[in-house]
Amino acid sequence: MKIIIALCFLIFNYSIYADVLPEAKSEVKITLARKPTTRPMTVAFIPGQKKYYIADGGLAPLGSETEAPISKSLIHTYDQSGKYVASTQAGFDNRSIFYNELSFQLTTITYNVSSEAGFAPNTGIFSLDLDSQGILKGTSKEVSSFNPAFGDSATMPSFDSKKNHYFAKQKRSARVIVIDANDGNKVGEINLDLKSAGVAFDDLSDNFIAATSIDGEELAILDVDHKAVLIFNAKGKYVGKSTLPKDIKLRAHNHYNGLGYTNNLFFVYNESEGEFGTYYGFKVSSNSK
């Protein structure tokens, strides 16, 4: 009887963790061709254009009689093989960049979208204009202005096209705020079960959690200290862990930037590889298509 119970327990646990890959599989490598403006933040992919977009962060200058208070941060375009195409100044201190599959727009969310640190120009959520070749024109349209619902000023929200929600990770905590993209209202909070995952909040990326759009594996976060991607469901329950290659060199900056989830891959910035660093896109679940 004890053997049967033990087997049932093992089968149950296997069914929970079976879809999370025990070892993350590297699928894409993007070696940065230009020095980041200050820090590379997140990554987006547009399937129709077959291009990746890497957004840099960087505060705008204070402004003067000769210079407008517009961020000099660049957004870099690469093809699907990781070859550099172009860089464009869009005028935003980017924190998150993603392709909105509902509006068919490349979109950026800026630093301080919540206005927690005070209001500044070009703050909020903006769609980015592209030409027919998928290159940024440097122009944009406002999707929404600053919104206190996002919480922390440094949050790097991710977008879930299935639910039309934003997930905004809050610093130094296991809290994730859920925001309705239609009206901008907070619709809930998720508290990640870090105890079951065997980690503390300061092991993890502080500002970013990925929306995977995978049922039962909705959230993914980088465990910097243990070199792994942790998977949680939409209620914050721990689902499993996908270990990153042991030789990847993560630094303190990986707690705050150099992350992303797009094209069904979790992106991690390896600052030590190449002249300007390298992004790796990892498959972390067998449910990724």
Side-chain angles (χ1 to χ4, degrees):
M1 184 66 179
K2 289 183 179 179
I3 294 174
I4 293 174
I5 293 173
L7 285 172
C8 290
F9 179 78
L10 288 171
I11 292 170
F12 174 75
N13 277 277
Y14 178 78
S15 67
I16 293 177
Y17 302 111
D19 295 328
V20 178
L21 299 180
E23 296 183 357
K25 182 180 178 182
S26 178
E27 298 279 350
V28 175
K29 177 180 177 181
I30 302 175
T31 301
L32 300 194
R34 288 192 60 171
K35 183 178 180 180
T37 317
T38 52
R39 296 179 179 180
M41 303 303 292
T42 48
V43 184
F45 180 75
I46 301 181
Q49 298 289 353
K50 298 182 179 179
K51 289 183 174 63
Y52 285 98
Y53 303 85
I54 297 175
D56 291 344
L59 291 172
L62 293 176
S64 65
E65 293 181 0
T66 59
E67 188 173 25
I70 296 175
S71 174
K72 296 181 180 180
S73 294
L74 299 175
I75 298 175
H76 311 277
T77 304
Y78 293 80
D79 68 17
Q80 63 181 345
S81 70
K83 182 180 178 181
Y84 174 72
V85 177
S87 297
T88 308
Q89 182 180 341
F92 302 108
D93 180 5
N94 307 286
R95 280 305 179 266
S96 295
I97 187 171
F98 60 93
Y99 179 61
N100 187 322
E101 296 174 349
L102 302 178
S103 64
F104 306 105
Q105 294 174 327
L106 184 64
T107 306
T108 184
I109 302 179
T110 71
Y111 169 73
N112 199 30
V113 63
S114 64
S115 71
E116 183 188 50
F119 177 74
N122 284 9
T123 298
I125 305 175
F126 299 84
S127 64
L128 304 169
D129 298 326
L130 304 173
D131 65 19
S132 60
Q133 301 302 311
I135 309 301
L136 281 88
K137 295 180 178 180
T139 57
S140 59
K141 299 178 183 66
E142 184 179 89
V143 174
S144 65
S145 60
F146 60 92
N147 181 354
F150 282 91
D152 292 332
S153 59
T155 188
M156 299 163 62
S158 56
F159 178 71
D160 177 11
S161 60
K162 276 191 174 181
K163 300 290 187 180
N164 201 25
H165 287 167
Y166 298 112
F167 293 105
K169 171 73 171 60
Q170 304 298 290
K171 62 186 176 185
R172 299 190 61 79
S173 76
R175 291 176 59 232
V176 180
I177 296 175
V178 186
I179 299 121
D180 189 309
N182 280 325
D183 55 24
N185 291 329
K186 176 181 174 180
V187 294
E189 270 195 25
I190 299 169
N191 285 289
L192 305 176
D193 183 5
L194 302 187
K195 183 177 180 181
S196 294
V199 296
F201 71 85
D202 51 4
D203 293 329
L204 310 177
S205 56
D206 210 22
N207 305 313
F208 176 78
I209 192 164
T212 68
S213 295
I214 298 174
D215 292 338
E217 305 174 17
E218 287 86 355
L219 300 169
I221 191 168
L222 177 66
D223 180 350
V224 181
D225 288 14
H226 303 102
K227 293 186 180 181
V229 178
L230 307 182
I231 310 297
F232 296 83
N233 70 14
K235 294 183 178 180
K237 183 179 179 181
Y238 175 62
V239 176
K241 174 175 70 174
S242 191
T243 304
L244 296 174
K246 293 181 179 179
D247 58 352
I248 192 169
K249 296 179 181 179
L250 303 182
R251 296 185 176 183
H253 282 174
N254 291 107
H255 284 281
Y256 312 110
N257 65 283
L259 301 166
Y261 190 93
T262 191
N263 200 20
N264 298 306
L265 302 173
F266 194 103
F267 279 82
V268 178
Y269 178 58
N270 185 353
E271 187 178 354
S272 304
E273 183 176 343
E275 184 178 4
F276 305 122
T278 299
Y279 266 98
Y280 281 89
F282 292 100
K283 183 177 181 179
V284 296
S285 172
S286 61
N287 286 322
S288 299
K289 298 178 181 179

